[in-house]
Amino acid sequence: MPKNDHYVIIGNGPAGNAAADTLRASDKLARISIISDEMFTFYYRHRLPEFLTGALDADALTVRPYTVYKDNNVRMRLGQCVERIDPADKTLYLKHMEKVHYTKLLIATGGRAFTPPHLAPFRDSLCFMTRYTDALQLKPRIQDAQSILILGGDLISLNVQQQLLKAKKTVYFALNPDSFWPLKLTPEMAARIQKSLEKKGVASCVAGDIQDIACKKNGKLEVTLDSKCAFTVDLVGCFMGLTPNIEFILGSGIDTERGVLVDDRLRTNFPDVYACGDCAQIYNPALKDYWVSVGWHNAELQGRTAALNILGDTKVIKPLKQGVLEVEGLKVNTSWWKKF
Amino acid sequence: MKEKRLYLRNEEEKFEGTAYARQVVRDIRFSTDARDFGYIAENIPCQDACPVYTNIPGYIRCIFENRNGRSYELNRMVNILPGVLGRICSRPCEARCRHGESDLGEPVKICHLKRAAADHKHAGHRISENLFAPSGKTVAVIGSGPSGLGAAHDLAALGHKVALYESMPRPGGMLMYGIPEFRLPRDLLMLEISNILRLGVDLHSGVAAGRDISLKDLLKKYDAVVLTTGTLSPNDLGIPGESLPGVLSGLDFMMRVNQGETPDVGERVAIIGDGFTAMDCARTCMRFGAREVTVNIRKTEEFMPVDEHEIFEAKFEKVKIIGLVNSVRILGKDRVEGIVFERNRLEFSRTGAGRDTVPIGNSEFEVPCDTVIAAIGQNPATDFNDVKFKLDGHRIFTKNGTHATSVKNLFAAGDCNTGASTVIASIAQGRGCAHEVDALFAGRKRKTMLVRFEPAEQTDRQRAWDFIPPVPMPAADRSERLADYRNEVEQGFTPEQALEESKRCYLCYLKYEINVDRCIYCFACIDVAPRDCIKMIHDVAIKPSGAYGDFMQTRDWTDVRAIAIDNKRCIRCGKCYEVCPTQCIHIIKTELIEQDLEA
């Protein structure tokens, strides 16, 4: 590789970091930059629920300190937001009006909290948490709150609920079986999860979707579900899965559907632009569907594979075999999620 | 001294000073110079994007000034159905609004403001029409959809006697029978149609040309016949199982619903198609008891020909959009039980524009459903039995750049001529055809497009207004929407909301110009400019069309020939105007207007 190569990685999660490590291991001279709109170094996202309730402090979230990047000669650009990509010109436009040219680009921006469109009118009344910033903002509110309703549309919601119960909060749970992410729940599965949660201490677990949220004078929120159940709580947490973080790519010419469309070598439709991790969408022949993978392990695997292909290899991501995941005493088959 | 004379630049003759002055009215100028049309196209992109060239900054400014009636009339001058289009327009203007450019935020809600003007004009508002003297000529317009209404309106205003034939019981075509009532209330539609009929248009509803009356007879009876029959022949899927009960065409489905039927679609509906009809069908099914409605598209949402707003509203109502699928066959014995799709992947199109879809081998999968609705476009129904005219594929052939068919005195406009398009494009087609027919009768063109220049004062726009977020359209909640098919979803801006949104418009029709003869090159304007909109230039490129192109900048003082305001970058903040010590910056209101040549 010529010395003036500039590998740019957008995203500072497991996929981006695994890719940076792999690139540096094989190419000692190239410039490597990681751009992240977050202000914090690489952290364990799945530990955020524990951080939220005070069970863990911020240091325990850190995967690696900033000095590691300095030692590896990887330029870390934190708090910088990519506004758009011009893949024909191999240029990134950052929000602070800077242009960054790249030789090869890896998009590893992960996912963010998904708000189902029908919940958009209630967005201001809902709490979300997918990033450290979200957790920092939410932490004092959680500590002040006594009662919390969790809109449970994903596995993260189950994790948060566990931590809230440990923190002696009154937890209500509204399970949305129609859009549980990344699994699809049958009525039987939903019923078993409901029963299991109530057994563990959840004050009430009902199936349903939000019909209305009204803010009362005392600051409490009155939530009505379509099943006509109503809860009066201090906070409503919305955990309806993740959606790929790809808004800045739209209109660039890079093909997207739910995520960035890539082939099994993690290449987008533009040469020298790759995507991996929770933001990449790959056709899975076993499932006969396009899938956005989730989970730390998959992200790292894809990050390493993408980096090798950036370096000229022809590694292929193979669909993982179906694994068995236990959710609230219920075993479900999943190709992607191994642990939560 | 300001120029006090008004003159018309002649298209054929080069403009030199005031040698070709034709009239003097205050200090307003009109031009037909290609450079001025080019300026409009580049600097007022919203107006340029509109098929009827609506004066968008003009009508938004009127809303700001609480002149909703004038705003409505500015719309109505070129777009005969402002209240209708304020609800269902495809909004090509918003896609090009300069507020939506990179770094500038989001487009102004132009369409919602159009509706606000229609909603908040005074009750008993006076409609303005520039009527020409009766010509004694008669025209039959076949089809009362947007194109037919556009043609009928302009022909009637130009003094011709118009008979409007409609095969359905009520006028409006696709507006009445294609678009769902929750998007377009019918009383409003009928009100705006009646404003057209009031010009003396004779409506013959329930009369189909070629069935109830022969086209040959119409050609004998009238001086000209305009076909605006739209596209009423839906495309087939061309896959096995298509004839099973439960497989419907999107157009037929919407027409049945809009005639009062309440079809039983079952719980699971699969829509095939990615256009407005597909979205309308999906949202209609949600109102008729379906629990799971999917819109299945070959490409991805990015390539759907509907706007983001429409996609959001459908998803809000829990419609799911499934991308990258291709229908293969429909399953079922006595009726639909399911559908088989295969997955697609995208490839760059061989033509260079857009994407092609390529089916992925061995990717078929089955989806159970009770109803399949195919909304994959439609073609014109062109069989009138007694008169044969030339076709261009499925469409009616017209001579290059005109609306004249291969049959004398027979014209065609709208979707039957162009293929399925948008309501606003159809209105433009109908109006264009009317002017062509009029020119045939009169032996000359009686109306034309001009660029109008009028000196203007500094506005009260404030820089802070550039940072106002778009005002969301108030909408009915989900349960209210789904309770009744007729419940209108969008509730419209309140006057206060309309005022707030109107502040966001940059008023791109204001042209800021530096008089280099008076400029002392102090740079005060450059210092206060919030963007790189004021430039030192040594030349200006001229485009092949004759329009001005990019400014050629220089940093070499010996090479500077002018300091110029790049109106494509200017956001009309007025800071330069305020600080200029020599008052060498002028503001000129620059508008593209339709003008009577004989006025």
Side-chain angles (χ1 to χ4, degrees):
Chain A
M1 284 282 170
K3 284 181 188 177
N4 58 355
D5 269 345
H6 186 197
Y7 305 128
V8 176
I9 298 162
I10 311 176
N12 185 29
N17 278 280
D21 292 347
T22 310
L23 287 168
R24 179 53 75 222
S26 302
D27 189 343
K28 304 290 181 197
L29 299 172
R31 288 165 62 207
I32 300 174
S33 300
I34 295 178
I35 302 175
S36 169
D37 60 350
E38 290 203 83
M39 295 297 289
F40 310 99
T41 50
F42 188 21
Y43 61 89
Y44 293 109
R45 186 178 281 193
H46 58 273
R47 291 186 184 169
L48 287 176
E50 291 165 88
F51 170 73
L52 192 67
T53 53
L56 281 182
D57 60 17
D59 289 343
L61 294 179
T62 308
V63 179
R64 54 171 64 155
Y66 187 76
T67 50
V68 173
Y69 299 97
K70 199 177 173 188
D71 296 343
N72 285 342
N73 191 22
V74 172
R75 185 172 180 201
M76 183 61 87
R77 286 166 162 261
L78 295 179
Q80 300 190 5
C81 183
V82 179
E83 195 167 63
R84 66 187 171 95
I85 302 175
D86 182 350
D89 198 31
K90 293 193 174 186
T91 305
L92 304 179
Y93 291 82
L94 307 189
K95 200 155 194 165
H96 59 269
M97 311 288 278
E98 184 187 351
K99 285 185 192 177
V100 177
H101 294 278
Y102 62 82
T103 318
K104 308 260 183 180
L105 175 67
L106 178 63
I107 302 164
T109 44
R112 59 177 167 74
F114 171 64
T115 316
H118 69 278
L119 294 186
F122 312 119
R123 199 178 160 84
D124 291 345
S125 305
L126 302 174
C127 302
F128 304 89
M129 191 202 63
T130 41
R131 295 147 53 105
Y132 184 52
T133 319
D134 302 332
L136 271 182
Q137 288 173 351
L138 195 53
K139 195 172 179 178
R141 295 179 66 194
I142 289 278
Q143 281 167 356
D144 291 344
Q146 285 305 312
S147 54
I148 297 156
L149 172 67
I150 303 243
L151 304 181
D154 62 15
L155 294 167
I156 300 163
S157 65
L158 299 176
N159 196 354
V160 172
Q161 155 266 320
Q162 282 174 10
Q163 296 306 320
L164 290 173
L165 284 177
K166 280 184 192 169
K168 310 288 182 202
K169 304 291 180 187
T170 305
V171 180
Y172 301 96
F173 203 96
L175 183 69
N176 191 336
D178 290 341
S179 56
F180 202 87
W181 177 93
L183 313 165
K184 192 169 172 74
L185 299 182
T186 61
E188 295 74 31
M189 290 161 78
R192 282 188 64 175
I193 289 175
Q194 278 175 258
K195 203 173 167 184
S196 168
L197 289 179
E198 284 184 355
K199 203 173 167 184
K200 285 184 177 175
V202 170
S204 174
C205 181
V206 293
D209 204 351
I210 285 197
Q211 192 169 50
D212 190 31
I213 300 181
C215 189
K216 300 180 87 175
K217 280 183 182 171
N218 58 4
K220 288 194 177 281
L221 298 166
E222 193 171 72
V223 184
T224 313
L225 303 186
D226 53 8
S227 54
K228 302 299 170 200
C229 290
F231 301 95
T232 303
V233 292
D234 296 314
L235 278 180
V236 182
C238 182
F239 299 92
M240 305 296 278
L242 298 179
T243 187
N245 227 344
I246 56 165
E247 279 76 9
F248 67 101
I249 298 167
L250 303 178
S252 68
I254 297 172
D255 284 337
T256 60
E257 203 239 344
R258 277 168 290 163
V260 182
L261 290 168
V262 290
D263 64 9
D264 54 6
R265 283 157 65 181
L266 302 171
R267 298 175 298 183
T268 68
N269 58 324
F270 275 88
D272 304 326
V273 182
Y274 297 73
C276 65
D278 295 7
C279 71
Q281 198 178 1
I282 312 167
Y283 179 71
N284 184 331
L287 302 169
K288 295 187 176 181
D289 198 358
Y290 286 90
W291 272 92
V292 176
S293 81
V294 290
W296 194 279
H297 170 75
N298 291 312
E300 283 188 332
L301 178 69
Q302 290 193 11
R304 281 194 293 273
T305 307
L308 291 171
N309 290 334
I310 283 172
L311 292 165
D313 211 334
T314 53
K315 293 277 182 203
V316 168
I317 278 284
K318 289 181 185 160
L320 295 179
K321 287 179 187 169
Q322 287 215 326
V324 176
L325 165 72
E326 193 171 312
V327 181
E328 296 301 322
L330 193 74
K331 287 185 176 175
V332 288
N333 288 330
T334 168
S335 301
W336 305 99
W337 195 283
K338 300 288 180 189
K339 190 185 171 187
F340 70 93
Chain B
M1 290 291 288
K2 286 179 178 173
E3 175 59 68
K4 290 289 179 190
R5 272 170 281 191
L6 174 148
Y7 36 81
L8 183 71
R9 290 189 197 171
N10 193 301
E11 280 175 335
E12 290 78 33
E13 297 163 317
K14 294 286 177 195
F15 167 70
E16 290 172 10
T18 57
Y20 300 99
R22 291 193 183 169
Q23 52 185 316
V24 177
V25 184
R26 297 194 306 277
D27 49 2
I28 297 170
R29 301 180 186 189
F30 296 93
S31 165
T32 56
D33 193 295
R35 287 168 296 182
D36 297 322
F37 285 115
Y39 175 87
I40 295 279
E42 293 207 340
N43 292 279
I44 316 177
C46 55
Q47 186 171 13
D48 184 60
C50 179
V52 293
Y53 302 112
T54 309
N55 182 351
I56 292 165
Y59 84 69
I60 292 180
R61 183 64 186 174
C62 285
I63 292 171
F64 176 80
E65 291 168 350
N66 197 23
R67 297 162 66 207
N68 289 306
R70 173 64 183 160
S71 179
Y72 183 80
E73 287 307 311
L74 271 179
N75 266 289
R76 202 173 176 279
M77 278 176 191
V78 288
N79 155 21
I80 49 166
L81 306 166
V84 170
L85 269 297
R87 286 164 170 81
I88 52 103
C89 190
S90 56
R91 307 169 193 184
C93 50
E94 291 184 16
R96 287 188 59 195
C97 172
R98 295 198 48 235
H99 217 314
E101 288 176 6
S102 185
D103 307 334
L104 295 181
E106 292 183 52
V108 176
K109 304 273 187 188
I110 297 169
C111 190
H112 292 171
L113 286 170
K114 190 197 307 281
R115 172 182 171 164
D119 287 354
H120 301 308
K121 66 183 187 304
H122 289 297
H125 161 77
R126 180 166 58 88
I127 297 289
S128 303
E129 290 286 3
N130 290 325
L131 300 181
F132 283 69
S135 66
K137 299 287 185 184
T138 58
V139 186
V141 177
I142 318 291
S144 68
S147 184
L149 290 170
H153 171 272
D154 278 32
L155 283 165
L158 287 160
H160 313 304
K161 187 67 189 160
V162 180
L164 183 59
Y165 289 89
E166 170 57 53
S167 62
M168 300 296 284
R170 302 179 80 188
M174 281 298 115
L175 297 171
M176 182 65 76
Y177 294 102
I179 291 173
E181 210 163 336
F182 57 82
R183 284 178 63 206
L184 178 59
R186 297 305 189 253
D187 52 352
L188 170 94
L189 174 61
M190 280 311 296
L191 177 77
E192 293 201 325
I193 290 177
S194 70
N195 282 336
I196 295 163
L197 301 181
R198 284 164 64 193
L199 297 179
V201 174
D202 291 331
L203 174 67
H204 303 269
S205 54
V207 180
R211 182 190 70 195
D212 304 314
I213 188 165
S214 84
L215 187 55
K216 203 172 191 175
D217 289 347
L218 289 173
L219 281 164
K220 277 184 196 163
K221 188 176 173 185
Y222 296 93
D223 295 308
V225 175
V226 178
L227 294 173
T228 56
T229 47
T231 48
L232 287 169
S233 175
N235 290 336
D236 294 333
L237 285 168
I239 58 174
E242 195 173 6
S243 55
L244 279 168
V247 182
L248 311 168
S249 90
L251 184 63
D252 290 345
F253 174 72
M254 289 311 305
M255 288 186 82
R256 281 171 57 190
V257 169
N258 285 322
Q259 287 178 85
E261 280 189 45
T262 51
D264 178 12
V265 291
E267 290 208 336
R268 295 162 302 183
V269 182
I271 315 274
I272 301 167
D274 63 356
F276 281 102
T277 307
M279 303 306 273
D280 286 344
C281 289
R283 295 177 67 188
T284 300
C285 288
M286 291 304 288
R287 286 157 173 77
F288 285 120
R291 276 182 53 81
E292 194 176 312
V293 179
T294 57
V295 174
N296 300 276
I297 59 176
R298 293 163 65 95
K299 297 181 185 173
T300 60
E301 280 181 31
E302 192 177 351
F303 297 100
M304 286 177 80
V306 297
D307 57 68
E308 279 178 23
H309 175 79
E310 190 63 28
I311 292 172
F312 175 83
E313 291 298 340
K315 286 183 174 176
F316 182 84
E317 292 167 11
K318 294 197 174 179
V319 171
K320 288 180 184 161
I321 297 175
I322 312 292
L324 297 169
V325 293
N326 204 19
S327 55
V328 177
R329 61 185 170 276
I330 296 166
L331 306 171
K333 276 188 177 176
D334 302 322
R335 62 165 292 121
V336 172
E337 291 168 12
I339 181 165
V340 174
F341 291 104
E342 63 185 346
R343 301 278 175 197
N344 287 331
R345 63 183 167 82
L346 296 177
E347 272 189 4
F348 281 112
S349 169
R350 284 177 209 151
T351 58
R355 301 286 185 277
D356 289 334
T357 54
V358 181
I360 298 173
N362 194 28
S363 65
E364 287 187 6
F365 63 100
E366 194 179 314
V367 178
C369 61
D370 306 308
T371 302
V372 173
I373 299 179
I376 52 169
Q378 53 254 11
N379 278 307
T382 50
D383 188 5
F384 291 91
N385 296 323
D386 53 347
V387 177
K388 298 293 173 200
F389 40 77
K390 199 173 165 186
L391 295 177
D392 176 11
H394 291 286
R395 297 172 296 191
I396 299 173
F397 168 83
T398 51
K399 290 167 192 166
N400 198 18
T402 73
H403 293 276
T405 69
S406 55
V407 175
K408 194 182 175 191
N409 294 336
L410 181 65
F411 296 80
D415 290 1
C416 67
N417 176 217
T418 61
S421 64
T422 60
V423 174
I424 191 67
S426 295
I427 290 176
Q429 274 270 314
R431 294 191 62 230
C433 182
H435 291 267
E436 200 176 308
V437 172
D438 178 65
L440 177 77
F441 291 156
R444 63 192 183 282
K445 210 173 165 185
R446 297 203 289 176
K447 283 198 169 191
T448 193
M449 298 303 289
L450 296 174
V451 180
R452 179 183 187 274
F453 301 101
E454 181 183 353
E457 298 301 318
Q458 165 71 331
T459 70
D460 48 5
R461 274 205 92 238
Q462 295 168 23
R463 177 74 175 125
W465 296 356
D466 297 340
F467 305 102
I468 297 173
V471 178
M473 168 58 81
D477 65 32
R478 241 186 104 246
S479 54
E480 194 184 336
R481 291 176 184 207
L482 303 186
D484 190 328
Y485 175 70
R486 282 175 291 275
N487 286 350
E488 191 176 9
V489 169
E490 294 183 346
Q491 308 286 298
F493 283 156
T494 61
E496 293 75 26
Q497 288 171 322
L499 172 69
E500 190 70 356
E501 184 63 28
S502 70
K503 290 177 184 173
R504 299 183 64 237
C505 177
Y506 289 145
L507 305 178
C508 294
Y509 70 169
L510 296 179
K511 181 183 187 185
Y512 282 70
E513 267 185 348
I514 296 175
N515 181 348
V516 287
D517 293 338
R518 291 171 62 181
C519 177
I520 57 171
Y521 295 87
C522 67
F523 283 177
C525 55
I526 293 179
D527 289 344
V528 296
R531 310 185 81 207
D532 58 337
C533 48
I534 306 180
K535 297 169 176 172
M536 293 194 299
I537 61 169
H538 69 92
D539 208 349
V540 180
I542 302 290
K543 292 187 168 181
S545 64
Y548 290 118
D550 290 335
F551 289 174
M552 297 176 192
Q553 292 188 75
T554 180
R555 287 169 186 263
D556 180 359
W557 261 114
T558 59
D559 204 22
V560 174
R561 292 174 67 185
I563 288 190
I565 297 174
D566 184 350
N567 279 275
K568 292 196 290 293
R569 298 283 299 166
C570 170
I571 53 173
R572 278 71 175 173
C573 68
K575 294 289 178 201
C576 56
Y577 182 89
E578 288 166 11
V579 299
C580 180
T582 62
Q583 296 180 329
C584 68
I585 295 177
H586 302 288
I587 307 172
I588 301 156
K589 193 197 280 184
T590 311
E591 298 167 292
L592 184 66
I593 60 161
E594 197 175 78
Q595 181 83 342
D596 298 342
L597 285 172
E598 295 168 4

